[in-house]
Amino acid sequence: QVQLVESGGGLVQPGGSLRLSCAASGSIFSINVMGWYRQAPGKQRELVATITKGGSTNYADSVKGRFTISRDKAKNTVYLQMNSLKPEDTAVYSCNAVTMTQFNYWGQGTQVTVSS
């Protein structure tokens, strides 16, 4: 069993920055990959970024160069640093963890709103 708790969402102006955190607890040893997804109203859920147990990262083209995913192993926490935010980044952002058994765990989601 894995539990994921996100924090850091909120309202930010275009061009601003925000950092999301995802704290994992439970059977964290079983996690192979963690990532961030987002879903905006009327749109499909999309993958934003992933990071593997070994530290390899992957980004959606829409956020490459602006967002950075990282982890703190000591704190069992994954971060998403979001810079140069645009209104189209507005969405509910959810943390995801995939275990060695290919089971997906999800956080509750956190709202990010980019608006003037």
Side-chain angles (χ1 to χ4, degrees):
Q1 192 75 235
V2 174
Q3 295 81 45
L4 304 173
V5 180
E6 301 110 325
S7 62
L11 175 65
V12 65
Q13 295 189 110
S17 297
L18 207 60
R19 188 178 75 159
L20 306 182
S21 299
C22 175
S25 61
S27 301
I28 56 175
F29 66 91
S30 67
I31 299 173
N32 286 337
V33 184
M34 293 189 68
W36 290 93
Y37 290 75
R38 68 184 182 187
Q39 186 166 30
K43 294 185 177 181
Q44 298 285 94
R45 183 178 65 190
E46 66 173 339
L47 184 145
V48 177
T50 61
I51 185 165
T52 68
K53 192 173 184 178
S56 298
T57 59
N58 182 261
Y59 299 92
D61 288 340
S62 60
V63 306
K64 193 171 294 183
R66 299 188 298 121
F67 291 10
T68 303
I69 189 170
S70 62
R71 74 190 194 283
D72 185 332
K73 287 190 172 183
K75 296 181 178 180
N76 297 318
T77 299
V78 170
Y79 304 95
L80 184 68
Q81 178 67 46
M82 304 183 293
N83 298 327
S84 302
L85 283 162
K86 306 173 181 179
E88 49 263 46
D89 293 318
T90 296
V92 174
Y93 285 71
S94 299
C95 182
N96 167 258
V98 182
T99 68
M100 61 179 65
T101 60
Q102 295 299 117
F103 192 90
N104 282 260
Y105 290 92
W106 295 90
Q108 80 284 358
T110 184
Q111 177 70 45
V112 172
T113 302
V114 184
S115 177
S116 299

